[in-house]
Amino acid sequence: MCARVCGERDAPLIVGAGASGTRAAEASLARLARWPEVRAALVTVPAFVRPAAAGVLAHFARLAGTSPVPLIVYHVPYRTGQPLDAAALRALGSLPGVAGVKYAGGGIGEDAVALLGDLPAGFEVLAGDDLYLSPLLALGAAGGILASAHLATGRFAELAGAWRAGDVARARPLGHALARMSAAAFAEPNPAVLKGVLHAQGRIPTPDVRLPLLPASQGAVKAVTAALEGLEGSV
């Protein structure tokens, strides 16, 4: 269904194909050759084993050399336990076959600023922390891969367009409003609150999540619903 919807909207289909080990990740990527609709693969930095930066580079060089589609590095150190500085991310971005990074560093520190200030040719940064989309766009990010964009897709697209057009007066208040909504959506472990809101809107049949996650509280769902209503009414 995802392939059909992307085809109807001329949107690139990106799929997750991550694994901690290089061989397992290679096998996962090889299976993508069966689906010509897939345009890129989102692959996490190896978790648990925590190799040195040189090992991460070798891992992605191996994957990029055999993958049937370009790779987007998913940099999320608060989940993988593997922080990478700007130099390491720049080295990854210089690999043939690596198209970009989903940057979810948990904030905007000097590494994010340094990376965006000196990107390899053909390499793009996509915001991965919903809360920091607007400032990353202001710094030069190309876009974002965001869970809370399911709740206000058009407004997130509007924000990206405003920053690309240099419309700071429009982008700044919209970015703040979307950040408030995203913060509410992540008040409990993701994706419980998002699924709760989508269910309350009648867009998915159940709010259930798999253990060890638990369904979102009604208070969290109501907080996001109120933030969405405020977003439409004030920005």
Side-chain angles (χ1 to χ4, degrees), residues 32 65 75 77 88 144 153 188 194 208 218 229:
L32 298 182
H75 179 50
T153 309
E188 295 177 9
L194 273 79
D208 294 343
Q218 284 302 305
E229 291 172 353

PDB file of all heavy atoms in Angstrom, residues 32 65 75 77 88 144 153 188 194 208 218 229:
ATOM      1  N   LEU A  32      15.771  -5.617  -0.858  1.00  0.00           N
ATOM      2  CA  LEU A  32      15.077  -4.472  -1.455  1.00  0.00           C
ATOM      3  C   LEU A  32      15.100  -4.504  -2.972  1.00  0.00           C
ATOM      4  O   LEU A  32      14.325  -3.804  -3.621  1.00  0.00           O
ATOM      5  CB  LEU A  32      15.711  -3.168  -0.957  1.00  0.00           C
ATOM      6  CG  LEU A  32      15.638  -2.918   0.546  1.00  0.00           C
ATOM      7  CD1 LEU A  32      16.251  -1.570   0.883  1.00  0.00           C
ATOM      8  CD2 LEU A  32      14.204  -2.989   1.054  1.00  0.00           C
ATOM      9  N   GLY A  65      28.374  -0.230  -0.810  1.00  0.00           N
ATOM     10  CA  GLY A  65      28.946  -0.891  -1.980  1.00  0.00           C
ATOM     11  C   GLY A  65      28.102  -2.019  -2.526  1.00  0.00           C
ATOM     12  O   GLY A  65      28.300  -2.441  -3.675  1.00  0.00           O
ATOM     13  N   HIS A  75      21.172   8.559  12.377  1.00  0.00           N
ATOM     14  CA  HIS A  75      22.041   8.875  13.510  1.00  0.00           C
ATOM     15  C   HIS A  75      21.175   9.231  14.705  1.00  0.00           C
ATOM     16  O   HIS A  75      20.616  10.325  14.775  1.00  0.00           O
ATOM     17  CB  HIS A  75      22.962  10.046  13.149  1.00  0.00           C
ATOM     18  CG  HIS A  75      23.871  10.461  14.261  1.00  0.00           C
ATOM     19  ND1 HIS A  75      24.645   9.576  14.956  1.00  0.00           N
ATOM     20  CD2 HIS A  75      24.134  11.685  14.799  1.00  0.00           C
ATOM     21  CE1 HIS A  75      25.347  10.222  15.874  1.00  0.00           C
ATOM     22  NE2 HIS A  75      25.049  11.499  15.805  1.00  0.00           N
ATOM     23  N   PRO A  77      21.916   8.681  18.516  1.00  0.00           N
ATOM     24  CA  PRO A  77      22.798   8.143  19.559  1.00  0.00           C
ATOM     25  C   PRO A  77      22.118   7.824  20.871  1.00  0.00           C
ATOM     26  O   PRO A  77      22.587   6.960  21.619  1.00  0.00           O
ATOM     27  CB  PRO A  77      23.853   9.247  19.724  1.00  0.00           C
ATOM     28  CG  PRO A  77      23.246  10.481  19.142  1.00  0.00           C
ATOM     29  CD  PRO A  77      22.352  10.010  18.052  1.00  0.00           C
ATOM     30  N   ALA A  88      32.978  12.589  11.663  1.00  0.00           N
ATOM     31  CA  ALA A  88      32.570  11.225  11.329  1.00  0.00           C
ATOM     32  C   ALA A  88      31.364  11.224  10.395  1.00  0.00           C
ATOM     33  O   ALA A  88      31.310  10.450   9.425  1.00  0.00           O
ATOM     34  CB  ALA A  88      32.260  10.449  12.602  1.00  0.00           C
ATOM     35  N   GLY A 144      12.924  16.778   6.842  1.00  0.00           N
ATOM     36  CA  GLY A 144      12.883  15.976   8.049  1.00  0.00           C
ATOM     37  C   GLY A 144      12.152  14.671   7.817  1.00  0.00           C
ATOM     38  O   GLY A 144      11.381  14.531   6.855  1.00  0.00           O
ATOM     39  N   THR A 153       0.586  17.059   8.555  1.00  0.00           N
ATOM     40  CA  THR A 153       1.508  16.912   7.432  1.00  0.00           C
ATOM     41  C   THR A 153       1.631  18.193   6.622  1.00  0.00           C
ATOM     42  O   THR A 153       2.740  18.645   6.301  1.00  0.00           O
ATOM     43  CB  THR A 153       1.054  15.757   6.516  1.00  0.00           C
ATOM     44  OG1 THR A 153       0.834  14.589   7.312  1.00  0.00           O
ATOM     45  CG2 THR A 153       2.099  15.469   5.464  1.00  0.00           C
ATOM     46  N   GLU A 188       4.926  10.940  26.168  1.00  0.00           N
ATOM     47  CA  GLU A 188       5.006   9.538  26.561  1.00  0.00           C
ATOM     48  C   GLU A 188       5.719   8.786  25.442  1.00  0.00           C
ATOM     49  O   GLU A 188       5.848   9.302  24.329  1.00  0.00           O
ATOM     50  CB  GLU A 188       3.604   8.987  26.826  1.00  0.00           C
ATOM     51  CG  GLU A 188       2.924   9.660  28.012  1.00  0.00           C
ATOM     52  CD  GLU A 188       1.508   9.182  28.253  1.00  0.00           C
ATOM     53  OE1 GLU A 188       1.080   8.194  27.613  1.00  0.00           O
ATOM     54  OE2 GLU A 188       0.815   9.807  29.079  1.00  0.00           O
ATOM     55  N   LEU A 194       1.012   9.271  19.415  1.00  0.00           N
ATOM     56  CA  LEU A 194       0.597   9.489  18.033  1.00  0.00           C
ATOM     57  C   LEU A 194      -0.502   8.521  17.638  1.00  0.00           C
ATOM     58  O   LEU A 194      -1.495   8.908  16.999  1.00  0.00           O
ATOM     59  CB  LEU A 194       1.786   9.342  17.086  1.00  0.00           C
ATOM     60  CG  LEU A 194       2.611  10.608  16.864  1.00  0.00           C
ATOM     61  CD1 LEU A 194       3.547  10.851  18.035  1.00  0.00           C
ATOM     62  CD2 LEU A 194       3.411  10.512  15.575  1.00  0.00           C
ATOM     63  N   ASP A 208      -3.607   0.588  19.984  1.00  0.00           N
ATOM     64  CA  ASP A 208      -2.747  -0.372  20.663  1.00  0.00           C
ATOM     65  C   ASP A 208      -1.296  -0.289  20.177  1.00  0.00           C
ATOM     66  O   ASP A 208      -1.024  -0.010  19.005  1.00  0.00           O
ATOM     67  CB  ASP A 208      -3.256  -1.793  20.445  1.00  0.00           C
ATOM     68  CG  ASP A 208      -4.609  -2.023  21.098  1.00  0.00           C
ATOM     69  OD1 ASP A 208      -4.986  -1.215  21.967  1.00  0.00           O
ATOM     70  OD2 ASP A 208      -5.282  -3.009  20.726  1.00  0.00           O
ATOM     71  N   GLN A 218      -5.146   9.157  28.307  1.00  0.00           N
ATOM     72  CA  GLN A 218      -6.116  10.074  27.709  1.00  0.00           C
ATOM     73  C   GLN A 218      -5.660  11.517  27.852  1.00  0.00           C
ATOM     74  O   GLN A 218      -5.906  12.353  26.980  1.00  0.00           O
ATOM     75  CB  GLN A 218      -7.482   9.882  28.354  1.00  0.00           C
ATOM     76  CG  GLN A 218      -8.205   8.627  27.882  1.00  0.00           C
ATOM     77  CD  GLN A 218      -8.410   8.626  26.376  1.00  0.00           C
ATOM     78  OE1 GLN A 218      -8.973   9.557  25.804  1.00  0.00           O
ATOM     79  NE2 GLN A 218      -7.920   7.573  25.725  1.00  0.00           N
ATOM     80  N   GLU A 229      -5.504  21.850  17.638  1.00  0.00           N
ATOM     81  CA  GLU A 229      -6.570  22.850  17.474  1.00  0.00           C
ATOM     82  C   GLU A 229      -5.999  24.250  17.584  1.00  0.00           C
ATOM     83  O   GLU A 229      -6.373  25.150  16.818  1.00  0.00           O
ATOM     84  CB  GLU A 229      -7.651  22.619  18.531  1.00  0.00           C
ATOM     85  CG  GLU A 229      -8.439  21.337  18.313  1.00  0.00           C
ATOM     86  CD  GLU A 229      -9.370  21.025  19.469  1.00  0.00           C
ATOM     87  OE1 GLU A 229      -9.287  21.745  20.496  1.00  0.00           O
ATOM     88  OE2 GLU A 229     -10.167  20.081  19.353  1.00  0.00           O
TER      89      GLU A 229
END
